[in-house]
Amino acid sequence: MKAMATVVMIACIILLGACGSSTPEPETTANPETTANPETTVKPDTTPETDEGFDPKVVPANPKLVELSKDFEQNICEVTDGVYVAVGYARANPVLIEGSDGLIVIDPAESVTAGQIVKAAYNEHLDNIFSKKPVKAIIYTHYHDCHIHGATAFAGNDSPEIIAHESLAKNLFSPPGAVYSLIFPIKGYRAIKYMGIRFQQYPGYFVNGGIFPFSIPGPSGYLPPTITVQDKLETNIAGVDLVLLHVPGETSDIICVWLPEKKVLVQIGDFYKSFPAVTTMRGASFRNPLDYIKSIDRMRSLNAEYMVLIHGGKPLTGAENVSRTLTNYRDGLQFVHDQTVQNMNKGLTPKEIIEVVKLPPHLVNEPYLQEYFGQLDRDIFQIFSQYLGWYTGKSRDLFPISLEEEAREMADLAGGIDQLAAKAQEALAKGKLEWALIFADDVLLLDSDHDTARSVKNSAMLKLAEETYNAQTRNYILSEYLDETAQISIPIPQFSDIDDALVAHMPMDTLFGIMAVSLNASQSLDEEIVIGLNLSDIANSIEPADYTMHLRRGVLEVQPKVADNSGFTLTTESLVWKNVVLGKLDPVEAVSSGDISVQGADPAELYSFLEYFKTE
């Protein structure tokens, strides 16, 4: 019980820290970074499942990653007169701008809980500022969860304008990139792993997230935008002049905030203290390096004297320092992009390109190009894939081989499963940790109970986690290790885990897409079912009120308006249907309460239809 008490105490310190509100000294180096855009409001229990802690109790961390945590020390920083940033209290650093008759908040953190913690910190250090002036506006720099879900905590009883790029809602809900869409379960699962969510309160394992100190789960307080930005919006809020600029990079909806009178630039998603992540272990849709470069150049043209990082530590100060740092950052990304494409044009594959493309000497030690979050070789693979797709151009790669078949061939080459396990041991002894992991994993694919292979894989993962200073790598590996050794459980989230606040705003097209990918194809190959759907509450909406759902031999087609050949028709409200489809509401309960009316059939036919969409 002592270990658990320590964990709880540390969690309280993390969540409620009592650091002073010191003003940062001008600095020539800097601080973190971007988005972890797990971007899921899944609420995992982050407490270890045993009072005695994990085995081993401590996994040492690379000193560079440990040193990085200093950037996340809690602090209410006064950037310049009337501009503040809360560093280290949540996954993002919400920014507060004080105007003559109101307040502006930029990026209100990852949950209502996180927003409340940051708001309390501001009140403590700024003499209860939120009780003295109303919040006039909340600005979302982009759609990732740590920038939107704390909005209601800051809005309180005020009615602020919610400002975002015009494509934020599309990015939030529409495939392929959206979290709250077709791939919510796997994106949520992988986000939990690469952020270290399930062990982040255990200091023997968790260090930081590379571009953030930790994450605070909790309910969503998302508020939809009331004002949207296309390319540029010049406005005055609470007596403060602001220019909002579209600067796509990590996402296509990023906006930065420029305060021309104060020479302050508030940005995220194009620059942070790590080599840029044009892909993440969570998975990311197309991130065009050329967009990053163009956007950074737009920010460079402002000649900012202060640059606030919404992921990371203290602001950068001094126009020369900001300009030099942004220039080196964009040059590092352009160098890798251009040299990757050049070698692609020579016929090289990604595995060949990573051998020849390295940062040039004048950039390799640049503090903001270290691989705390993004990683150069992974970006090379992603750039190749974005231009040419999965195929490398080599004939040998024309024939994809399953993991199990590959493992069988590896075992045959070694002389059998036990011999392959011995090769894994040998690789581990020689310090070839990646090969030890691969060989051991191959054995376990063929024999999941092979003790030697399991021991080697565990040792390799722990050693790899110890050596790397890439936080994504460390957290993902340790998550897999703890899960496979049954010390924690990381189930894949379900669509029912999508927060209710997001469901209310989910477009019907997204919902029908979720239905389609949830269909149990093998069980419905002989079925032809046509159902009409009338959504009584959206008759005056921009979305259609009537649909036809046609389950046709393993696929679901949905078209607007009710077809004449519908077997039966449902009448309900959109939120009721969303909750039924997502597994939040029992259809029998919805019918019996009158929330769903079935015309032309017994309700049992509806229940049978919905059974085809249970994939467990």
Side-chain angles (χ1 to χ4, degrees):
M1 294 299 295
K2 181 179 179 181
M4 180 60 72
T6 301
V7 170
V8 173
M9 180 184 69
I10 291 172
C12 293
I13 292 171
I14 288 175
L15 298 182
L16 303 175
C19 297
S21 57
S22 59
T23 303
E25 294 295 323
E27 52 183 33
T28 55
T29 57
N31 330 287
E33 7 350 82
T34 172
T35 311
N37 185 18
E39 299 26 25
T40 168
T41 51
V42 174
K43 301 180 258 273
D45 176 9
T46 57
T47 306
E49 295 182 348
T50 168
D51 289 347
E52 299 304 318
F54 296 137
D55 181 23
K57 293 185 181 299
V58 174
V59 178
N62 187 298
K64 288 185 69 172
L65 190 60
V66 175
E67 182 70 14
L68 180 66
S69 290
K70 293 180 180 179
D71 283 348
F72 305 126
E73 291 177 355
Q74 291 182 339
N75 197 356
I76 299 296
C77 299
E78 182 175 9
V79 183
T80 188
D81 183 44
V83 182
Y84 307 90
V85 58
V87 174
Y89 292 90
R91 186 157 17 115
N93 299 332
V95 174
L96 178 64
I97 302 170
E98 183 179 8
S100 58
D101 63 346
L103 306 172
I104 303 162
V105 175
I106 304 174
D107 285 2
E110 65 263 31
S111 64
V112 173
T113 309
Q116 291 169 338
I117 289 168
V118 176
K119 186 176 181 179
Y122 272 128
N123 276 330
E124 179 184 354
H125 296 291
L126 299 176
D127 194 24
N128 291 314
I129 191 168
F130 283 93
S131 67
K132 296 179 178 179
K133 293 183 179 181
V135 177
K136 291 290 188 74
I138 295 175
I139 300 172
Y140 300 149
T141 60
H142 62 297
Y143 77 97
H144 283 160
D145 68 327
C146 46
H147 306 272
I148 63 173
H149 289 309
T152 56
F154 285 97
N157 295 322
D158 302 325
S159 299
E161 298 287 359
I162 308 297
I163 306 174
H165 190 260
E166 62 182 4
S167 67
L168 180 137
K170 179 180 179 181
N171 277 280
L172 199 58
F173 293 112
S174 299
V179 174
Y180 306 105
S181 185
L182 311 187
I183 58 172
F184 171 82
I186 190 60
K187 266 202 167 180
Y189 173 71
R190 287 166 61 157
I192 289 167
K193 292 176 74 173
Y194 95 90
M195 290 197 298
I197 290 287
R198 289 291 286 109
F199 58 86
Q200 67 172 355
Q201 291 180 356
Y202 199 85
Y205 277 61
F206 187 79
V207 183
N208 58 61
I211 57 170
F212 57 89
F214 46 78
S215 187
I216 303 175
S220 170
Y222 170 73
L223 295 170
T226 59
I227 296 174
T228 59
V229 179
Q230 187 176 43
D231 180 64
K232 180 179 182 179
L233 174 65
E234 297 185 53
T235 187
N236 183 286
I237 301 173
V240 179
D241 289 330
L242 302 100
V243 182
L244 281 65
L245 300 172
H246 184 214
V247 286
E250 186 172 276
T251 70
S252 62
D253 64 327
I254 296 175
I255 56 175
C256 67
V257 181
W258 170 236
L259 308 179
E261 293 181 353
K262 300 176 184 293
K263 299 295 183 181
V264 174
L265 170 65
V266 181
Q267 69 80 44
I268 192 57
D270 295 302
F271 168 84
Y272 42 92
K273 188 176 182 178
S274 170
F275 195 85
V278 299
T279 188
T280 72
M281 290 182 179
R282 178 192 67 253
S285 55
F286 182 62
R287 295 178 174 184
N288 189 344
L290 299 180
D291 284 345
Y292 281 76
I293 294 163
K294 183 178 179 181
S295 293
I296 292 172
D297 287 346
R298 190 174 195 182
M299 292 189 292
R300 288 169 67 211
S301 71
L302 301 173
N303 296 316
E305 294 182 8
Y306 307 92
M307 183 166 68
V308 178
L309 311 177
I310 293 180
H311 280 297
K314 297 176 183 177
L316 273 71
T317 61
E320 182 180 349
N321 180 37
V322 172
S323 177
R324 180 179 64 252
T325 302
L326 286 175
T327 300
N328 287 342
Y329 196 80
R330 56 90 65 212
D331 284 359
L333 181 55
Q334 183 175 344
F335 183 90
V336 172
H337 168 271
D338 292 356
Q339 295 306 305
T340 297
V341 174
Q342 181 184 110
N343 283 285
M344 287 164 52
N345 285 332
K346 295 177 180 178
L348 273 64
T349 69
K351 289 183 179 180
E352 293 169 321
I353 295 172
I354 63 174
E355 295 292 332
V356 296
V357 174
K358 311 292 181 185
L359 282 178
H362 73 286
L363 295 177
V364 73
N365 293 318
E366 171 66 24
Y368 287 91
L369 287 172
Q370 302 306 298
E371 297 173 308
Y372 296 118
F373 191 71
Q375 192 162 302
L376 191 150
D377 54 2
R378 295 172 191 161
D379 283 2
I380 288 172
F381 271 79
Q382 185 72 0
I383 292 167
F384 185 100
S385 177
Q386 289 173 178
Y387 276 107
L388 292 178
W390 69 270
Y391 180 49
T392 66
K394 299 290 188 183
S395 293
R396 59 182 286 167
D397 293 327
L398 279 171
F399 309 98
I401 299 171
S402 73
L403 283 175
E404 186 172 338
E405 182 180 354
E406 185 177 287
R408 283 197 300 269
E409 292 298 322
M410 292 290 281
D412 286 345
L413 284 171
I417 291 178
D418 289 341
Q419 288 76 9
L420 183 56
K423 287 289 185 184
Q425 279 186 310
E426 182 182 335
L428 181 66
K430 292 180 177 179
K432 297 180 177 180
L433 302 178
E434 295 87 349
W435 282 110
L437 175 59
I438 291 168
F439 292 155
D441 211 41
D442 281 344
V443 172
L444 293 169
L445 283 169
L446 303 175
D447 179 1
S448 60
D449 295 324
H450 200 289
D451 291 339
T452 299
R454 176 62 62 191
S455 176
V456 171
K457 181 177 180 180
N458 290 347
S459 296
M461 286 195 293
L462 291 171
K463 189 64 176 175
L464 285 164
E466 179 180 341
E467 289 188 355
T468 185
Y469 69 90
N470 184 284
Q472 284 197 75
T473 301
R474 178 182 170 87
N475 291 336
Y476 204 98
I477 288 174
L478 289 178
S479 293
E480 184 168 322
Y481 163 76
L482 290 168
D483 193 18
E484 289 191 357
T485 55
Q487 300 188 67
I488 62 172
S489 175
I490 310 179
I492 294 179
Q494 301 300 309
F495 288 114
S496 58
D497 292 314
I498 298 177
D499 195 286
D500 291 348
L502 278 300
V503 174
H505 300 288
M506 180 182 287
M508 294 307 299
D509 281 351
T510 299
L511 183 82
F512 292 130
I514 289 173
M515 284 189 72
V517 300
S518 299
L519 178 62
N520 190 325
S522 63
Q523 296 296 315
S524 59
L525 288 176
D526 297 325
E527 297 296 333
E528 285 269 359
I529 303 173
V530 181
I531 301 175
L533 175 65
N534 171 255
L535 301 175
S536 57
D537 61 314
I538 61 174
N540 298 316
S541 168
I542 59 172
E543 294 186 295
D546 296 320
Y547 297 90
T548 297
M549 299 177 290
H550 188 173
L551 193 167
R552 184 175 57 251
R553 306 187 68 176
V555 299
L556 178 71
E557 178 186 5
V558 179
Q559 294 291 348
K561 77 179 184 179
V562 176
D564 294 337
N565 65 334
S566 296
F568 60 93
T569 301
L570 311 174
T571 300
T572 186
E573 293 185 350
S574 58
L575 187 56
V576 172
W577 186 244
K578 289 175 187 178
N579 284 330
V580 166
V581 168
L582 296 174
K584 291 176 171 285
L585 176 61
D586 180 7
V588 176
E589 179 183 331
V591 171
S592 64
S593 66
D595 288 335
I596 295 179
S597 173
V598 182
Q599 299 100 40
D602 188 280
E605 293 194 37
L606 168 62
Y607 310 148
S608 296
F609 171 75
L610 290 171
E611 284 294 319
Y612 289 115
F613 299 90
K614 294 182 178 180
T615 56
E616 297 88 353

